[in-house]
Amino acid sequence: MLRTALRNVLAHKARLAMTVLAVCLGVAFVCGTLVFADSSAAAHRAAASRSFADIAVTVTAKAPAPGAGAEQRGTVLDDALVRKLAGVPGVAAVRPSADGSATLNAADGTPLRAGKAWANLATAYVPGKDGKDARYPLLKGRAPQGGGEIVVDEATASAGRFGIGDTITLATDGPVMTKRLVGIVTTHDTRVTSGGTLALFDKATAQRLFASPGHYTAIDLSAAPGTDQAALADRVTAQLPADRAEATSGAAQAAQQATYVDTLTRGYEKLPMVFAGVSLFIGSFLVVNTFTMLVARRTREIALLRAVGAERRQVVRSVLLEALLLGLAASAAGFLLGLGIAAVLPDVLGSAEDPLPDGPLVIGPRPVVAALGVGVGVTVLAAWLPSRRAAKVAPVEAMRSAEQPPAATGSRIRGAVGLVLLVLGAGLLVSLTGAKDASVENLQSAMFGCAVLVVAMIMLAPLLAAAVIRLTGRLTGRFGITGRLARENALRDPRRTAATAASLMISTALVTGLAVIGNSTGQALDRQAAAGLGADYVISTRTPTTGIDPAAVRRVADTSGVRTAAAVTDSTVFIGGGVRQISGVDPDAVPAVMKLDFVSGSVKDLGPGRIAVSSTTAREHGVSTGDRLSARMGRSQQVEQYTVVGVYKDNPVAHDALGARGEVQRSSFRPGSVQRILVRTDDGAASKTTEDRLRAAVGNSPLLTVRDREALVHEAAGALGDLLTLMYGLLAIGAVISALGIVNTLAMSVAERTREIGVLRAVGMDRAGVRRMIRLESVTVAAFGTLLGLAGGLFGAWAVGALANGALEQYSLALPWGTLLLVCLASLAIGALAAAVPARRAAALSPLEAVAEI
């Protein structure tokens, strides 16, 4: 039986190649995702942390206790402590540092790695006794010697197109600064080599920017040979003021780093894993269909094996062994293809504004095991049902020349189960439409309902095939006898037709549902952003930890063409155990820059102890205008009683609550800070000239963005980027696997109908007619899968989209007619293209040879 299985694989290698390729795609996404996740984790670990190779202990200042005095708030990390720690037994060297973050503008004015604090390292150049800093060897120029000078690493100089003597614009946290480049260094710091930037200042400047004059942010200690890190950390701790500084071993820092990186990179696996799951799910239908057709074609062969003594178990093992060999081939090919996917995923998931850190591919045991487990497991599992069917072939079948139709009992059972699942899935989705609550539980229930609905459609597809294909057959019938023959060929075996169309049906349903939800949500976000913003421009910080220089706010207000410049402070407010966003505003300026729709109350009543809340916040906490609300704002540790002076409809510009700017600023995590400036111009229109003036008013700071209304609306809809990527990715996956399935099915069908095609040729059908018949049959199958997919996708989108009304008031179902038409045309094109090779092969058959085929 082993030799039989090997012979069968070699005999049908061309047909099985399509199956291998389909499973290969799923394996490739699984392996590529795992390799990418491991590689991304390693790159983030390098980018977001320091190398601890030569650091045994790091001393840092403790956060001051609430209410601490000025003396306790000051750092103790100074030169005196550096000298003291140098005398601790076991310490080989001491290196103080004043670390922070600095975002640089390139020579063309664009920010380098903006918005990534961990990627923009800034620190002090700390020369040793020889006047050089061993951590940052100079490549060109000299070390910084004054507040107006800066040194960068070689990669940063290349990315920013900097040369010695150039003036560099940068910002740390506040006003824009300009420095003259005096040197270029090399570094092995993994935060920089993984795609970050490095800016070095003289020690006094770095201390002033990132610590305080004469003080440091950390002190790194290296250990003498043979010194235990933990023991050294204990000795160092004994030399520190217990309430103001602490020592952490390098091993402990590495463990903290590993936990942080795991949290940071966990989400990168989700989107590619969806592709992998869909690929394997759709590919499994191709496996089932291929082995079913192979078993049907080898009925007489299997019956002869049974007649000469082969047991049912041996027949099952023979078919499963074929599947095992296919799975091994698919796993090997998928693993290699997965490495290519892992290499391009950083460019797909990253962007110019938010690039992923660079790093080599990391290939661990997990992707290898997954490749074998997934490829072999899916293929063998999908071949199990056909193998069971093969085992049921009786020896007497060797005397029959025609394939027997499936038992009516099996079809009835399949239809009954499919109908029950259809009622359950559709009923669950319909029951959720009245909830209008996009909670996690409801969304999970909706996803489960959609999954049940898909399974029901797959089971009912053979029963629906006759009705749908007869309907679409009216179109193919216009092509004369070839069109009618194509329709009858598609109806000859509804189960095979349904299995062939299943992959296209699933991918079409997914794409249709996502396209409708994405289009509806995008339009709702557009309407929400446009309805809530009265300003023509918004100047904002790239990260929530930075603030806008108060002087920049005044310069913006004085800019030519600006009518109103309203400063907004963004902070947090803790209500009933939940965290909300609050915007601190000047009540008089709000009507000019925000379009607030108050259900009750007014923005004019804002003041100390008085806030306004959004409709969602009011509903969740059961408050209305005039009620008292217990809340804790920003960094304040004290719960205060606030009077609700108004309730407004949800507005992304105003966030969850509004308060007086002075009060929000006092309790914010950056007292006195401003995170946004809402700008209203005289003419109420955006222009490149006005935008350039506003950028100049904020000093072209790389920490700030200037966006007009159109850009903000586009950004709001940009949250759907992952959904759109998923949609087009699923369409591509479904198209490829569907084409493989149709090619495989038609190729085997042509082989089965060799004599039939020969008869058609003998009675006068020309080669062009044969090709047209096969193509129309393929298009008919594709149309069947497309129609079912469209119906299922539209129903699922309607049901799932109804939940969005609870979270997005402006949501309404909006069909993307262009996308749906494109999906239909693409599906039909897939059918036509997939038939090219089988049609050519059928047309090449000689009438005499075909009729003589046994």
Side-chain angles (χ1 to χ4, degrees):
M1 297 305 293
L2 174 61
R3 288 194 297 271
T4 300
L6 292 173
R7 179 184 62 80
N8 286 330
V9 169
L10 294 176
H12 304 98
K13 54 182 178 294
R15 297 167 190 165
L16 294 177
M18 301 292 181
T19 306
V20 170
L21 185 55
V23 178
C24 167
L25 290 175
V27 174
F29 276 108
V30 172
C31 296
T33 299
L34 295 177
V35 171
F36 167 70
D38 292 340
S39 304
S40 180
H44 274 89
R45 186 177 296 113
S49 62
R50 295 180 300 170
S51 172
F52 302 109
D54 60 345
I55 298 176
V57 178
T58 296
V59 176
T60 55
K62 285 185 175 181
E71 181 180 350
Q72 289 182 323
R73 289 198 300 268
T75 178
V76 72
L77 307 183
D78 54 16
D79 289 323
L81 182 61
V82 171
R83 291 190 293 269
K84 183 178 181 181
L85 295 179
V88 174
V91 173
V94 181
R95 188 188 189 282
S97 60
D99 291 349
S101 174
T103 305
L104 285 64
N105 271 339
D108 60 0
T110 58
L112 292 176
R113 301 288 281 177
K116 293 290 186 182
W118 53 262
N120 299 314
L121 176 62
T123 187
Y125 186 91
V126 183
K129 295 180 180 179
D130 59 354
K132 300 178 180 179
D133 189 337
R135 181 172 292 185
Y136 303 113
L138 278 166
L139 185 66
K140 297 179 182 177
R142 58 175 177 81
Q145 297 176 355
E149 297 179 345
I150 190 176
V151 169
V152 300
D153 68 289
E154 187 177 13
T156 300
S158 176
R161 298 182 179 179
F162 302 138
I164 300 296
D166 287 351
T167 298
I168 297 179
T169 302
L170 70 149
T172 55
D173 184 12
V176 176
M177 299 178 288
T178 56
K179 308 285 183 182
R180 188 167 65 90
L181 182 64
V182 297
I184 297 175
V185 300
T186 59
T187 179
H188 296 293
D189 193 313
T190 51
R191 291 172 291 182
V192 181
T193 57
S194 59
T197 63
L198 171 66
L200 297 173
F201 306 95
D202 67 283
K203 185 170 68 173
T205 300
Q207 288 176 327
R208 176 175 55 82
L209 291 174
F210 308 123
S212 60
H215 296 84
Y216 305 98
T217 57
I219 302 174
D220 295 329
L221 310 176
S222 57
T227 303
D228 181 71
Q229 280 192 10
L232 181 59
D234 291 339
R235 289 196 292 270
V236 170
T237 299
Q239 302 298 318
L240 302 175
D243 59 337
R244 299 179 61 189
E246 59 184 348
T248 307
S249 67
Q253 293 180 76
Q256 294 172 1
Q257 163 194 309
T259 302
Y260 168 72
V261 170
D262 178 66
T263 303
L264 188 67
T265 60
R266 194 174 297 154
Y268 290 131
E269 297 186 19
K270 294 181 180 178
L271 187 62
M273 277 299 185
V274 171
F275 290 157
V278 171
S279 299
L280 293 170
F281 184 63
I282 297 177
S284 64
F285 287 95
L286 179 53
V287 177
V288 172
N289 208 26
T290 300
F291 275 94
T292 299
M293 295 182 70
L294 286 175
V295 168
R297 285 208 68 202
R298 288 170 14 210
T299 298
R300 298 183 65 188
E301 175 187 330
I302 295 171
L304 287 172
L305 289 174
R306 293 293 313 284
V308 298
E311 298 179 355
R312 291 190 174 187
R313 287 180 297 178
Q314 290 178 304
V315 173
V316 171
R317 291 171 186 169
S318 175
V319 176
L320 293 182
L321 182 58
E322 293 180 43
L324 175 63
L325 296 175
L326 256 67
L328 290 173
S331 298
F335 180 77
L336 296 177
L337 182 59
L339 296 182
I341 291 176
V344 302
L345 273 179
D347 295 328
V348 173
L349 297 180
S351 64
E353 286 289 322
D354 188 15
L356 297 179
D358 301 326
L361 290 181
V362 177
I363 305 174
R366 192 170 61 148
V368 179
V369 173
L372 291 173
V374 171
V376 174
V378 168
T379 310
V380 173
L381 185 63
W384 183 76
L385 284 176
S387 73
R388 298 284 295 176
R389 191 174 296 118
K392 294 179 181 179
V393 175
V396 72
E397 298 290 337
M399 305 300 296
R400 295 176 178 170
S401 59
E403 179 186 350
Q404 298 300 306
T409 302
S411 298
R412 285 195 295 268
I413 294 175
R414 179 190 183 107
V417 173
L419 187 60
V420 170
L421 292 176
L422 180 66
V423 172
L424 288 176
L428 178 59
L429 291 176
V430 171
S431 67
L432 290 172
T433 57
K436 294 187 178 181
D437 179 12
S439 63
V440 175
E441 293 78 10
N442 282 343
L443 288 175
Q444 289 176 345
S445 298
M447 294 300 103
F448 176 74
C450 289
V452 173
L453 192 64
V454 168
V455 175
M457 292 173 63
I458 292 171
M459 299 192 72
L460 292 174
L463 303 179
L464 298 173
V468 176
I469 290 177
R470 284 194 176 94
L471 178 63
T472 58
R474 295 181 180 180
L475 297 177
T476 57
R478 296 179 179 275
F479 290 88
I481 186 62
T482 56
R484 290 194 293 274
L485 286 173
R487 181 188 61 190
E488 295 304 319
N489 286 333
L491 289 172
R492 177 179 299 184
D493 189 343
R495 189 165 58 183
R496 177 188 298 179
T497 298
T500 304
S503 57
L504 194 57
M505 178 188 70
I506 295 169
S507 59
T508 301
L510 287 171
V511 171
T512 299
L514 290 175
V516 172
I517 294 174
N519 185 65
S520 303
T521 305
Q523 291 189 15
L525 289 173
D526 288 353
R527 290 192 294 268
Q528 187 183 63
L533 181 64
D536 300 307
Y537 289 93
V538 175
I539 302 172
S540 59
T541 59
R542 293 183 182 273
T543 61
T545 58
T546 58
I548 301 176
D549 180 18
V553 178
R554 293 190 293 271
R555 290 196 301 269
V556 169
D558 295 336
T559 300
S560 175
V562 172
R563 179 191 301 176
T564 304
V568 180
T569 296
D570 293 323
S571 186
T572 55
V573 59
F574 301 85
I575 307 174
V579 182
R580 295 286 182 176
Q581 288 183 295
I582 186 169
S583 299
V585 297
D586 298 318
D588 294 337
V590 167
V593 294
M594 292 185 187
K595 295 179 180 179
L596 294 176
D597 186 0
F598 271 83
V599 178
S600 60
S602 171
V603 70
K604 295 181 179 180
D605 296 326
L606 291 177
R610 300 192 299 272
I611 63 174
V613 296
S614 67
S615 298
T616 298
T617 304
R619 182 176 64 253
E620 291 181 353
H621 297 282
V623 296
S624 58
T625 301
D627 291 345
R628 301 281 287 176
L629 182 65
S630 298
R632 179 170 62 85
M633 194 179 296
R635 63 186 176 89
S636 174
Q637 300 298 314
Q638 186 174 356
V639 177
E640 302 283 353
Q641 293 293 319
Y642 293 92
T643 300
V644 178
V645 298
V647 176
Y648 55 89
K649 291 184 178 180
D650 290 6
N651 188 315
V653 182
H655 294 155
D656 304 307
L658 286 173
R661 183 159 63 92
E663 184 173 27
V664 176
Q665 281 181 328
R666 284 192 297 272
S667 59
S668 67
F669 293 96
R670 294 179 52 81
S673 66
V674 171
Q675 277 69 47
R676 288 181 290 163
I677 307 175
L678 307 183
V679 180
R680 184 72 177 270
T681 60
D682 290 332
D683 55 7
S687 67
K688 187 64 169 63
T689 302
T690 303
E691 182 176 336
D692 291 341
R693 289 174 182 168
L694 294 176
R695 292 186 185 280
V698 295
N700 290 315
S701 173
L703 300 178
L704 304 179
T705 61
V706 179
R707 291 163 294 181
D708 60 21
R709 180 191 297 269
E710 183 179 350
L712 287 166
V713 171
H714 179 72
E715 181 181 327
L720 300 173
D722 285 349
L723 183 63
L724 295 176
T725 300
L726 179 64
M727 183 185 75
Y728 293 119
L730 293 177
L731 178 61
I733 292 172
V736 171
I737 298 181
S738 299
L740 294 176
I742 294 174
V743 170
N744 218 25
T745 301
L746 287 178
M748 299 178 77
S749 179
V750 166
E752 289 178 354
R753 305 202 308 258
T754 299
R755 295 184 65 186
E756 176 184 324
I757 295 172
V759 171
L760 291 174
R761 293 276 286 115
V763 298
M765 182 177 286
D766 58 10
R767 296 181 187 272
V770 173
R771 287 194 295 268
R772 188 183 309 115
M773 179 184 68
I774 299 298
R775 290 196 188 100
L776 289 175
E777 180 182 350
S778 178
V779 170
T780 299
V781 174
F784 169 62
T786 301
L787 288 175
L788 286 188
L790 282 172
L794 289 174
F795 179 78
W798 168 76
V800 175
L803 299 177
N805 284 326
L808 197 59
E809 188 175 339
Q810 289 85 352
Y811 184 92
S812 62
L813 195 67
L815 299 183
W817 295 108
T819 302
L820 296 180
L821 178 61
L822 180 63
V823 169
C824 293
L825 294 178
S827 299
L828 296 179
I830 289 169
L833 292 174
V837 175
R840 188 167 60 249
R841 179 182 176 186
L845 289 173
S846 168
L848 293 178
E849 293 177 359
V851 173
E853 179 74 17
I854 298 177

